[in-house]
Amino acid sequence: MRGVLVVFMTFLIISSVASSQTLLFSTVEEKILVVSGDYREGSLTVVNNADKDFQIVTFRRYYVLDSKNNEIPGITLKVYKPDGEPLSTGVLYTYWRSGEERPLRYKIYVNESVKPGTYTLFMVLWGFLSSGDLRVIQIPVTLEITDVPLSFKEAFVEVKERSITTNHILNGETIAIYSTVYNLKNSPVAINGTAYLERNGKQYLAKYLAMNLTPGDNPIQVEIPIPYGLQEGEYKLIYKLEYPKGTYLFSKAFYITFGVDLTSISLEKTEIMEDETSTVYTTIFSERNIVINHTIEVYGANNNILHNTTERLEITRGTTIAKVTIPPLPPGSKKVISKISFGKIFLGQKSISYKVFAYPRIEDVAYKEVSLSKTTGMLNFSVVIYNANSEEVTTKLSYKFFKFNQTLDKGSQTLTLNPGENYVNIIEDLPIGEKIFYEFSLTSNNKEQKISNSLEITPPIASNTTTSTSSSSTSITNTTTPLPTPQERNILKYFAAVLVVIFLLLLALYLMPTSSQKRRERPKPKRRSPLGRFKRPKRPETRKYKELPKK
């Protein structure tokens, strides 16, 4: 009797299945990814797409089809109840309403013999309605089989010190490379990596790593410090991860610079005098806060260095203007070089030129007698002015002759001085026998040089001769005639004395009295009237007519 019941019940189930409808339920997840030779466990979210509520849902079986709808072996599926208990067949859910989502825990084993590719996993469920009717439920899930156990996420790079992503790196900063590798296997996978900079086929600053990646996400960070001494320019970052099943390669171009540039140099004045200081201004642009060395060098003729100074300069982000004072230097053209450096690392330089002019100066004032009279003496003052510059200079020469409480003469003139010695002659009539003071001043660029002294003209030798007194006159002329030497002065004085003696002898002969014989006198002319001889006028003649003249 029991055997007949079993057979009857089996017959009812078979007949119910034969008369049931097949429903397709979907999952929220798109696919399941499994590495061949490994397994994957997880959870699917299954949606009741039917418009019916199920009292009981049981798991019946599964199968896998390829793209040609051929069933393939080598894949094992285990299904678990919501409480984690393994389920081969039997009740999976109860009271599953329409549109409701239910989790389905699974574990899939894939044999190494299964070729990589995309397959479809079908899970077959039986759903019983409250009326006792049966519905066959199929849940298709995309199954992707791969032999590549690692999944590489895109790497990104940033400047560690600034926490920004940029392709502009400063010397002294650190390039930080961040990447994530997902290990699909349930066992560690060994991996090797390298990161370096490349320029013109040459590698710089290589970093190597070797590690075992655990299942799931594995964050990887590689840092490349950029030394201060690395040459400025464009580099290519190469980041490579390798393992037996594949290679991940990432590259990015960077421009590496120190970030400190000397942009310009200027001078307060391009022409100064020899006693003036010069101020040089150096403009520096920086992308960082740093302390650098600032050097100022000044060169003269034949590139002889005349001044050199170095100072530590603290600069900040933005523009910094460094001010340096150059002391007074000898006359001539000067070249200024401004340099910046960091330790032994040269960062840049710029140059500029300026001229230093010398003040013209009076080197000597000499005088000589030109002529003498009883009261005055004519003197020629020769002023030697030296111009140490290599070009013409305009200056003003002033002079003054005076005695106590009285100015005898003064004047001035603007002169254009040639390079080297210049001679200026001044002719002046001065009183004889008195102490005379004279002063010469040279003014150039508001600087004055004075030379003063005194003299006294010796009166001439007493004689009966009369010398005409000439009026005082002053004239200034530019000449290149050199001053007479003391020996020449003595010869001139001797020659003048000889001329005076000869003149006195001739004058004495002329004034010498003649013989006592009386000189014949010429008779004086008679005095005549200034009007000449007087001649009495004739009387007018009168004519008489006997008759009137005819008309």
Side-chain angles (χ1 to χ4, degrees):
M1 186 67 181
R2 182 178 298 177
V4 174
L5 183 60
V6 172
V7 171
F8 179 72
M9 291 297 295
T10 304
F11 176 76
L12 287 177
I13 293 173
I14 293 172
S15 61
S16 299
V17 170
S19 63
S20 65
Q21 297 178 359
T22 300
L23 302 177
L24 289 178
F25 282 9
S26 63
T27 59
V28 175
E29 293 75 18
E30 293 182 359
K31 65 180 180 179
I32 299 175
L33 180 62
V34 186
V35 179
S36 60
D38 199 23
Y39 67 92
R40 168 59 56 89
E41 60 181 344
S43 177
L44 292 173
T45 304
V46 183
V47 182
N48 181 358
N49 295 326
D51 57 355
K52 304 179 183 299
D53 297 336
F54 296 96
Q55 296 297 315
I56 297 175
V57 177
T58 62
F59 176 76
R60 304 309 300 172
R61 67 186 182 92
Y62 70 92
Y63 58 94
V64 180
L65 301 179
D66 60 12
S67 60
K68 296 180 181 181
N69 292 325
N70 296 320
E71 188 172 351
I72 62 170
I75 298 176
T76 304
L77 173 66
K78 286 187 177 182
V79 177
Y80 299 86
K81 292 181 179 181
D83 59 0
E85 181 183 352
L87 177 66
S88 57
T89 58
V91 178
L92 181 61
Y93 306 120
T94 58
Y95 305 109
W96 192 4
R97 292 186 298 271
S98 175
E100 185 181 1
E101 296 179 354
R102 291 291 181 94
L104 192 153
R105 293 182 59 186
Y106 67 89
K107 188 173 186 179
I108 300 176
Y109 295 87
V110 178
N111 195 283
E112 291 183 356
S113 61
V114 179
K115 295 181 179 180
T118 302
Y119 303 90
T120 304
L121 169 67
F122 289 91
M123 291 180 284
V124 181
L125 310 177
W126 282 2
F128 294 92
L129 302 176
S130 58
S131 61
D133 293 338
L134 173 65
R135 297 290 185 269
V136 177
I137 301 171
Q138 289 198 7
I139 306 173
V141 180
T142 300
L143 185 62
E144 185 174 340
I145 309 299
T146 179
D147 60 350
V148 178
L150 301 182
S151 175
F152 298 91
K153 297 182 181 180
E154 186 68 22
F156 71 95
V157 182
E158 71 175 18
V159 180
K160 183 179 179 181
E161 289 76 8
R162 292 182 280 165
S163 298
I164 60 172
T165 301
T166 178
N167 60 350
H168 190 78
I169 308 295
L170 302 179
N171 292 89
E173 293 183 331
T174 303
I175 297 177
I177 308 167
Y178 301 94
S179 66
T180 301
V181 182
Y182 188 83
N183 182 7
L184 300 174
K185 294 185 68 173
N186 292 278
S187 59
V189 176
I191 191 172
N192 295 317
T194 180
Y196 57 89
L197 297 180
E198 184 182 71
R199 186 183 186 190
N200 298 326
K202 186 177 180 181
Q203 294 185 9
Y204 298 87
L205 312 176
K207 292 286 184 178
Y208 302 95
L209 68 152
M211 59 189 303
N212 290 323
L213 302 182
T214 59
D217 284 331
N218 292 266
I220 300 176
Q221 179 179 344
V222 181
E223 295 182 358
I224 302 179
I226 306 300
Y228 287 103
L230 186 64
Q231 186 178 1
E232 179 177 331
E234 185 171 316
Y235 294 80
K236 187 176 183 180
L237 171 66
I238 305 296
Y239 175 59
K240 184 187 298 185
L241 298 176
E242 296 178 297
Y243 72 110
K245 290 290 184 177
T247 300
Y248 173 75
L249 181 63
F250 172 84
S251 65
K252 186 176 182 180
F254 289 94
Y255 190 87
I256 297 178
T257 178
F258 198 87
V260 178
D261 296 317
L262 196 160
T263 57
S264 65
I265 180 175
S266 61
L267 290 167
E268 185 177 12
K269 295 179 181 179
T270 57
E271 294 182 352
I272 62 173
M273 300 307 295
E274 58 184 338
D275 60 347
E276 293 180 340
T277 61
S278 179
T279 303
V280 57
Y281 298 92
T282 302
T283 304
I284 303 170
F285 178 78
S286 176
E287 300 180 52
R288 67 202 308 167
N289 300 330
I290 197 170
V291 178
I292 62 173
N293 297 324
H294 180 216
T295 301
I296 293 293
E297 297 175 349
V298 184
Y299 293 86
N302 300 323
N303 288 326
N304 295 328
I305 189 164
L306 303 176
H307 178 72
N308 184 5
T309 180
T310 300
E311 62 176 358
R312 291 176 60 82
L313 182 63
E314 183 177 353
I315 58 177
T316 58
R317 287 189 179 95
T319 301
T320 301
I321 300 178
K323 177 182 176 182
V324 177
T325 300
I326 301 174
L329 296 175
S333 180
K334 304 293 180 286
K335 181 179 180 180
V336 182
I337 298 179
S338 179
K339 301 178 180 179
I340 56 174
S341 60
F342 180 79
K344 295 182 179 181
I345 303 172
F346 177 74
L347 301 179
Q349 72 175 35
K350 286 190 179 298
S351 63
I352 195 171
S353 298
Y354 71 100
K355 290 184 178 180
V356 179
F357 290 94
Y359 289 103
R361 63 180 184 271
I362 300 175
E363 285 198 330
D364 187 28
V365 176
Y367 62 88
K368 66 177 179 179
E369 296 176 356
V370 177
S371 63
L372 297 175
S373 66
K374 289 184 178 180
T375 58
T376 62
M378 183 178 292
L379 301 183
N380 179 15
F381 288 85
S382 181
V383 183
V384 182
I385 304 175
Y386 185 75
N387 175 18
N389 302 296
S390 60
E391 53 189 80
E392 293 183 345
V393 174
T394 301
T395 186
K396 182 179 180 181
L397 178 65
S398 301
Y399 56 90
K400 182 170 67 172
F401 299 92
F402 59 94
K403 58 185 179 179
F404 294 106
N405 299 325
Q406 182 182 358
T407 300
L408 301 176
D409 191 20
K410 64 179 180 178
S412 64
Q413 185 174 350
T414 300
L415 304 174
T416 299
L417 304 178
N418 296 319
E421 290 187 346
N422 295 260
Y423 302 92
V424 179
N425 292 326
I426 298 176
I427 307 298
E428 191 72 27
D429 277 339
L430 300 175
I432 293 178
E434 298 183 54
K435 190 172 184 179
I436 307 299
F437 298 92
Y438 62 88
E439 179 182 273
F440 290 89
S441 65
L442 193 66
T443 305
S444 178
N445 287 291
N446 299 322
K447 184 174 183 179
E448 185 179 27
Q449 178 199 6
K450 288 185 178 182
I451 291 182
S452 59
N453 209 334
S454 63
L455 60 88
E456 184 174 348
I457 305 175
T458 304
I461 300 174
S463 64
N464 294 329
T465 61
T466 303
T467 306
S468 61
T469 304
S470 60
S471 62
S472 175
S473 62
T474 303
S475 64
I476 301 177
T477 59
N478 286 332
T479 177
T480 58
T481 305
L483 293 176
T485 61
Q487 184 177 2
E488 292 175 343
R489 291 182 185 177
N490 294 332
I491 295 174
L492 292 175
K493 289 181 179 180
Y494 178 78
F495 183 71
V498 172
L499 291 177
V500 170
V501 172
I502 294 173
F503 176 76
L504 293 176
L505 289 175
L506 293 176
L507 183 62
L509 291 175
Y510 177 78
L511 295 178
M512 185 179 294
T514 58
S515 59
S516 61
Q517 185 178 357
K518 186 176 181 180
R519 184 180 297 178
R520 184 178 180 180
E521 295 182 358
R522 184 177 181 180
K524 296 181 179 180
K526 294 181 179 181
R527 183 178 183 85
R528 295 181 179 180
S529 172
L531 300 177
R533 292 184 180 182
F534 178 76
K535 187 176 182 180
R536 191 178 298 277
K538 295 181 180 181
R539 298 176 69 87
E541 184 177 349
T542 307
R543 298 179 64 179
K544 295 181 180 181
Y545 299 93
K546 292 180 178 182
E547 53 185 10
L548 294 171
K550 295 180 180 183
K551 295 184 179 178

